[in-house]
């Protein structure tokens, strides 16, 4: 597909001028009518867009099939997770070749009195019948006959008899809760519709806690359902009425407390319910009025309940402190907190987990996420032992806590890097030894030494150094003739950490240099890095990406005329912004579920999640400066008469986070305005949600579609090296 290729005429959306006035500024929006989701005319338009997209990309069908086949051939389709022990059972999930969804299972554990034996996972071979296996939930059976299937949570009672699960059959992230008796395999009559992510049983197994969203899709209630009682009698444990605050919950590690977290990106509040004495009501730890951003985890020290606080009080990058429960009855300035992990300008503290004997701390240093372990004995005292950190031999990697059962002598760690497939380690708390339990198999003769990952630094216009992760085939020639794809996110303090991707190998084997740009607005370089790309600093996110692209263009490996860009959700807003800022830099852009009409969305607090966005972007409703600043960068408002690159906007009709209307309007206006001849297409998954279609094969097809669009635009359709695709 070249710029000279003849394409069919694209759909032309009608124009219905709608005025949007704020702060004495009027914006005329001619495509707002596309928001009417139930309108036959809107559905007809989206259908026509899909047909046009199919026609424009018809020549990529074989390439899409090739990439899909490469993903499939490299994937161990019949596989299983490493079993994790909880009480008297080993729990795991397995997949089978030809089936879309995971099967959640368990086998009984044994207690010999030997800790090493009792906590060594049973050896279970993929595809081999497992003696004593109990299938708790087969996603393939549950999904049969349904257009969409996704689980929003699983929970098992302490005695192991009951399973609670919730499923979404539309992609709109509203789930239905059901309870299964694992002794009989029968479903209980309890059915709770329209709940959000997350489930937990009370310790005695008589209650299920869950969350509910309001009309704007904000989780605002924590409710309790008593088994056997009508849903109408479910009680509200907590309700949050501030539209800018998000509510969630978790059980404490020792299963004695319900921890309700209420917060935004700048401050939070914890309400605690003692599950052994629920009539005592909720205890507030640090009230939100103190403007402290924190998380709280209860521990018992010398027989007294304390809380481990991960907080930003006088600590921009956060620190960890220990406080007795009795301290929270005092004014904050009078409370005594003991330091566990001191603040460090170079180390971002992410959070903690607790076992009966140790504290596990997640930290980020030099962009890399890692784990530190501290014994509870002596915690917060002058004699506190130094933290231990599992050591690995790669420069760019990701290590995080996967599981920490309260009474376990081990913790489960997940490890990966750009070219090391995911590994599962058990870390023995008493000895500090690492036990490799599994490395995900990659089929087709994959060899990590065939690929190279390196850290480079681009210089932003203001002199800031932007870290880049640059991935390529090791044998790629540095002749300035290779295509490149630059990917980023850059919002909400979310980090794009090193991680293995089978699908990405298909691009690398076609000679594409894959670059992850760790731009401001993300969390890779600490809280200051995040704050440097939010609210009235948001433009740094976009200019950082452009400056990163210019750095890539100057690489001895890369052809500056063959660079593509890709990003999703808030990264899709990034894609819209950079095509307005520097359309000449990119041969093609893929914007996945793109937040490209951000100002319209955030100006309407009735739209899904809008009010929650104020802490990230600012509140343009009340603040004229925020309104003006956002209007200067939001993609839809800033489309101009220029030669835009080839663009694919990929969205889902039932997405509740970024509504389909945003990319639909964006594409219509881009086509109307561009002075170039490159195609601009809209692909809408009619049965999907924010993550696209459900089922692993459908997800592989989605990835293959996106990558084929990029590869075709860059002239990188053919495998340029000996491939390990099989």
């Amino acid at each position: 597909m070249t710029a000279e290729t003849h394409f069919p005429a694209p759909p032309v959306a009608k124009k219905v001028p709608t005025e949007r006035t704020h702060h004495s500024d009027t914006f005329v929006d001619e495509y707002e009518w596309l928001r009417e989701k139930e309108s036959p005319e809107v559905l007809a338009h989206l259908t026509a867009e899909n047909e046009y997209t199919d026609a424009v990309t018809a020549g990529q069908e074989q390439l899409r099939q090739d990439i899909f086949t490469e993903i499939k051939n490299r994937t161990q389709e019949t596989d299983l997770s490493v079993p994790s022990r909880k009480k008297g059972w080993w729990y795991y999930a397995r997949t089978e070749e030809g089936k879309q969804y995971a099967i959640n299972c368990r086998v009984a554990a044994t207690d010999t009195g030997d800790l090493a034996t009792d906590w060594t996972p049973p050896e279970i071979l993929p595809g081999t019948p497992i003696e004593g296996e109990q299938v708790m939930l087969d996603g393939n059976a549950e999904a049969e006959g349904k257009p969409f299937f996704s689980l929003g949570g699983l929970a098992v009672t302490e005695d192991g008899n009951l399973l609670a699960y919730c499923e979404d059959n539309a992609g709109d992230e509203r789930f239905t809760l059901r309870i299964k008796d694992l002794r009989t395999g029968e479903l209980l009559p309890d059915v709770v519709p329209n709940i959000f992510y997350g489930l937990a049983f009370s310790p005695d197994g008589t209650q299920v806690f869950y969350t509910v969203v309001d009309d704007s899709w904000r989780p605002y209630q924590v409710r309790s359902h008593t088994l056997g009682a009508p849903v109408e009698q479910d009680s509200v444990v907590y309700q949050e009425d501030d539209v800018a605050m998000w509510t969630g919950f978790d059980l404490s590690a020792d299963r004695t407390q319900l921890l309700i977290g209420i917060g935004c990106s700048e401050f939070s509040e914890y309400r605690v319910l003692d599950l052994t004495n629920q009539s005592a009501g909720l205890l507030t730890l640090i009230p939100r009025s103190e403007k402290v951003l924190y998380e709280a985890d209860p521990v018992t020290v010398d027989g007294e309940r304390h809380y481990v606080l991960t907080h930003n009080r006088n600590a921009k990058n956060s620190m960890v402190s220990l406080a007795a429960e009795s301290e929270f009855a005092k004014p904050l300035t009078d409370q005594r907190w003991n330091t566990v992990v001191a603040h460090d300008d170079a180390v971002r503290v992410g959070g903690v987990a607790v076992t009966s004997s140790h504290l596990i701390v997640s930290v980020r240093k030099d962009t890399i996420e890692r784990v530190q372990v501290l014994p509870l004995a002596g915690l917060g005292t002058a004699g506190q032992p130094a933290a231990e950190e599992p050591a690995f031999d790669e420069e760019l990697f990701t290590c995080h806590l996967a599981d920490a059962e309260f009474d376990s002598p081990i913790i489960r760690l997940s490890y990966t890097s750009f070219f090391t497939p995911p590994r599962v380690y058990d870390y023995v708390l008493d000895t500090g030894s690492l036990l490799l339990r599994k490395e995900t198999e990659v089929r087709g003769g994959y060899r990590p030494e065939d690929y190279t990952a390196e850290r480079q630094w681009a210089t932003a216009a203001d002199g800031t150094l932007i870290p880049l992760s640059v991935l390529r085939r090791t044998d790629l020639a540095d002749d300035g003739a290779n295509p490149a794809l630059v990917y980023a996110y850059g919002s909400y303090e979310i980090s794009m950490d090193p991680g293995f991707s089978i699908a990405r190998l298909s691009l690398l084997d076609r000679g594409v240099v894959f670059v992850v740009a760790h731009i401001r607005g993300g969390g890779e370089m600490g809280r200051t890095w995040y704050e440097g790309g939010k609210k009235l600093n948001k433009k740094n996110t976009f200019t950082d990406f452009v400056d990163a692209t210019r750095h890539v263009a100057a690489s001895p490996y890369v052809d500056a005329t063959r660079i593509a860009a890709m990003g999703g959700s808030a990264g899709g807003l990034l894609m819209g912004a950079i095509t307005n800022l520097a359309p000449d830099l990119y041969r093609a852009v893929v914007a996945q579920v793109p937040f490209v009409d951000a100002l319209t969305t955030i100006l309407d607090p009735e739209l899904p999640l809008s009010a929650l966005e104020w802490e990230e972007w600012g509140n343009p409703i009340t603040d004229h400066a925020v309104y003006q600043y956002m209007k200067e960068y939001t993609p839809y408002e800033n489309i101009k008469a220029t030669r835009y690159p080839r663009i694919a906007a990929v969205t889902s009709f039932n997405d509740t986070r970024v509504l389909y209307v945003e990319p639909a309007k964006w594409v219509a206006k881009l086509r109307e305005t561009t002075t170039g001849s490159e195609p601009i297409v809209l692909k809408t998954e009619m049965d999907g949600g924010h993550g696209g279609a459900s089922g692993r094969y459908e997800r592989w097809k989605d990835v293959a579609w996106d990558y084929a669009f990029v590869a075709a635009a860059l002239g990188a359709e053919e495998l340029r090296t000996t491939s390990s695709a099989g």
Side-chain angles (χ1 to χ4, degrees):
M1 185 169 72
T2 67
E4 290 73 35
T5 304
H6 177 71
F7 298 113
V12 177
K14 70 177 182 180
K15 295 183 180 181
V16 181
T18 302
E19 291 189 354
R20 187 195 72 201
T21 301
H22 287 273
H23 302 291
S24 301
D25 177 73
T26 298
F27 174 71
V28 179
D29 189 343
E30 295 174 319
Y31 299 112
E32 177 64 13
W33 68 271
L34 288 166
R35 192 176 298 277
E36 297 298 324
K37 187 176 181 181
E38 303 303 321
S39 164
E41 192 171 6
V42 170
L43 289 172
H45 178 75
L46 295 178
T47 299
E49 287 281 12
N50 278 343
E51 291 170 351
Y52 174 70
T53 298
D54 289 344
V56 168
T57 63
Q60 298 166 23
E61 177 55 38
Q62 184 59 53
L63 180 56
R64 290 196 289 266
Q65 185 58 49
D66 290 346
I67 294 174
F68 174 86
T69 301
E70 290 161 18
I71 296 170
K72 190 173 186 293
N73 288 348
R74 284 186 172 117
T75 301
Q76 178 67 43
E77 294 187 68
T78 298
D79 202 2
L80 63 138
S81 62
V82 178
S84 294
R85 180 163 179 168
K86 299 181 188 299
K87 302 298 182 181
W89 297 87
W90 289 100
Y91 292 87
Y92 57 96
R94 57 181 176 82
T95 55
E96 295 181 0
E97 186 171 357
K99 294 186 177 181
Q100 294 263 30
Y101 300 96
I103 304 167
N104 291 279
C105 309
R106 68 180 184 178
V107 294
T110 57
D111 290 303
T112 67
D114 183 315
L115 289 180
T117 299
D118 293 345
W119 287 90
T120 298
E123 185 176 3
I124 302 173
L125 302 176
T128 302
I130 302 163
E131 184 178 353
E133 177 183 83
Q134 180 181 17
V135 173
M136 299 191 301
L137 193 72
D138 184 344
N140 303 286
E142 297 296 322
E144 192 170 345
K146 299 169 183 174
F148 184 92
F149 175 77
S150 177
L151 287 174
L154 292 170
V156 178
T157 51
E158 292 290 288
D159 60 15
N161 291 336
L162 300 178
L163 169 73
Y165 67 96
C166 55
E167 65 175 285
D168 169 16
N169 297 130
D172 59 4
E173 298 181 279
R174 287 201 174 179
F175 300 86
T176 298
L177 165 65
R178 293 184 172 86
I179 313 291
K180 183 178 182 179
D181 189 327
L182 294 175
R183 295 163 295 188
T184 66
E186 299 297 319
L187 289 175
L188 301 186
D190 305 74
V191 177
V192 184
N194 295 321
I195 77 169
F196 198 55
Y197 292 99
L199 297 171
F201 276 108
S202 60
D204 62 7
T206 63
Q207 298 168 273
V208 181
F209 298 100
Y210 62 93
T211 54
V212 174
V213 296
D214 61 15
D215 291 339
S216 66
W217 239 262
R218 174 184 66 98
Y220 80 116
Q221 283 185 344
V222 177
R223 293 185 186 177
S224 169
H225 172 72
T226 300
L227 271 61
V231 173
E232 295 75 19
Q233 294 180 11
D234 287 6
S235 61
V236 176
V237 180
Y238 178 76
Q239 176 171 313
E240 176 54 51
D241 294 322
D242 187 335
V243 297
M245 301 292 275
W246 186 284
T247 302
F249 72 87
D250 204 351
L251 284 187
S252 62
D254 62 5
R255 308 293 197 271
T256 64
Q257 290 183 296
L258 187 73
L259 307 171
I260 301 174
I262 310 107
C264 60
S265 65
E266 299 188 348
F267 56 88
S268 56
E269 178 177 281
Y270 266 74
R271 307 283 181 99
V272 179
L273 179 67
D274 187 339
L275 295 175
T276 65
N277 182 23
Q278 295 190 35
S279 62
L282 295 170
L283 166 69
T284 300
L285 300 183
I286 306 165
R288 70 191 70 184
S289 58
E290 298 290 354
K291 304 297 184 183
V292 177
L293 184 65
Y294 71 103
E295 295 178 359
D297 294 88
V299 294
T300 299
V301 178
D302 297 329
E304 182 183 358
R305 178 172 285 161
H306 287 64
Y307 287 88
V308 176
L309 302 172
T310 306
H311 65 92
N312 70 344
R313 186 184 178 202
N314 302 318
K316 176 168 284 197
N317 267 341
S318 292
M319 61 183 291
V320 181
S321 300
L322 182 69
E325 185 176 74
S326 56
E327 293 294 312
F328 298 106
K330 306 173 185 176
L332 180 61
T333 52
D334 296 337
Q335 293 175 18
R336 180 183 174 187
W337 296 4
N338 293 330
T339 297
V340 175
V341 177
H343 179 256
D344 187 332
D345 286 334
V347 179
R348 178 75 165 109
V349 178
V352 305
V354 175
T355 73
S356 59
S357 60
H358 285 77
L359 182 72
I360 301 95
V361 186
S362 172
V363 300
R364 184 180 299 278
K365 184 178 182 181
D366 298 328
T367 79
I368 301 302
E369 184 182 8
R370 55 194 82 206
V371 168
Q372 297 179 344
V373 181
L374 285 160
L376 291 184
L379 198 69
T381 68
Q384 175 180 297
E388 299 286 341
E389 183 176 305
F392 302 99
D393 57 6
E394 293 183 273
E395 176 192 10
L396 303 179
F397 67 89
T398 300
C399 177
H400 63 83
L401 181 69
D403 190 36
E405 272 299 289
F406 185 66
D407 295 319
S408 173
I410 59 97
I411 57 174
R412 177 71 48 84
L413 301 178
S414 291
Y415 176 92
T416 186
S417 74
F418 286 116
F419 297 119
T420 300
R423 292 175 180 171
V424 175
Y425 287 99
D426 281 345
Y427 178 86
V428 182
L429 291 169
D430 283 345
T431 65
S433 57
L434 275 174
L435 306 174
L436 178 63
R437 298 303 191 190
K438 179 179 181 178
E439 178 171 310
T440 300
E441 181 179 353
V442 181
R443 301 171 62 189
Y446 169 72
R447 302 192 318 155
E449 60 267 28
D450 291 341
Y451 305 90
T452 297
E454 63 179 349
R455 171 57 41 81
Q456 295 183 13
W457 298 86
T459 303
D462 63 2
T464 301
L465 294 179
I466 308 157
L468 310 179
S469 297
V470 182
L471 319 178
R472 58 176 172 82
R473 288 277 311 193
T474 303
D475 57 8
L476 200 66
D478 57 351
D479 56 4
N482 303 296
L485 172 62
V486 187
Y487 177 86
Y489 186 76
S491 292
Y492 302 106
E493 203 178 359
I494 292 174
S495 300
M496 297 293 101
D497 291 323
F500 185 76
S501 167
I502 282 179
R504 189 170 55 219
L505 300 176
S506 291
L507 285 182
L508 296 172
D509 284 347
R510 287 172 169 79
V512 177
V513 178
F514 195 108
V515 180
V516 182
H518 306 286
I519 53 184
R520 279 176 282 186
E524 290 91 341
M525 300 282 282
R527 186 73 180 185
T528 299
W529 195 252
Y530 167 49
E531 292 175 350
K534 70 179 290 193
K535 290 191 173 179
L536 296 180
N537 293 317
K538 190 63 203 170
K539 291 179 185 177
N540 286 334
T541 300
F542 316 132
T543 56
D544 279 3
F545 190 92
V546 170
D547 291 332
T549 304
R550 292 196 171 107
H551 175 93
V552 171
S555 161
Y557 286 93
V558 173
D559 179 349
T561 68
R562 298 168 67 205
I563 298 176
M566 180 183 288
S569 197
L573 181 151
L574 170 67
M575 294 299 100
I578 59 105
T579 54
N580 289 333
L581 283 173
D584 55 308
L585 282 182
Y586 305 98
R587 177 75 66 88
V589 172
V590 176
Q592 302 155 319
V593 289
F595 190 36
V596 284
D597 192 20
L599 191 51
T600 300
T601 295
I602 297 174
L603 283 168
D604 186 351
E606 300 303 315
L607 289 177
L609 306 180
S610 290
L612 294 172
E613 300 290 353
W614 296 338
E615 294 301 329
E616 180 71 18
W617 317 94
N619 186 345
I621 299 174
T622 59
D623 191 327
H624 178 262
V626 170
Y627 174 88
Q628 186 60 40
Y629 187 81
M630 289 191 70
K631 193 174 181 184
E632 291 170 2
Y633 71 70
T634 44
Y636 185 57
E637 281 91 345
N638 287 282
I639 293 170
K640 58 189 178 183
T642 190
R643 293 175 61 89
Y644 281 96
R646 192 170 307 173
I647 294 173
V650 181
T651 188
S652 292
F653 190 54
N654 292 323
D655 191 346
T656 58
R657 296 172 183 253
V658 179
L659 300 185
Y660 73 90
V661 67
E662 297 203 24
K665 290 166 59 175
W666 182 56
V667 165
K669 192 169 182 179
L670 278 169
R671 280 211 206 104
E672 172 198 352
T673 311
T674 184
T675 61
S677 58
E678 291 285 0
I680 298 170
V681 300
L682 173 68
K683 174 176 173 278
T684 305
E685 171 58 58
M686 300 307 291
D687 291 318
H690 194 60
S694 66
R696 58 176 174 167
Y697 297 118
E698 296 307 313
R699 286 194 295 273
W700 295 350
K701 290 176 183 176
D702 286 347
V703 173
W705 195 98
D706 294 350
Y707 281 5
F709 187 89
V710 167
L714 297 179
E717 296 96 329
E718 300 298 323
L719 292 167
R720 291 176 49 183
T721 61
T722 302
S723 170
S724 60

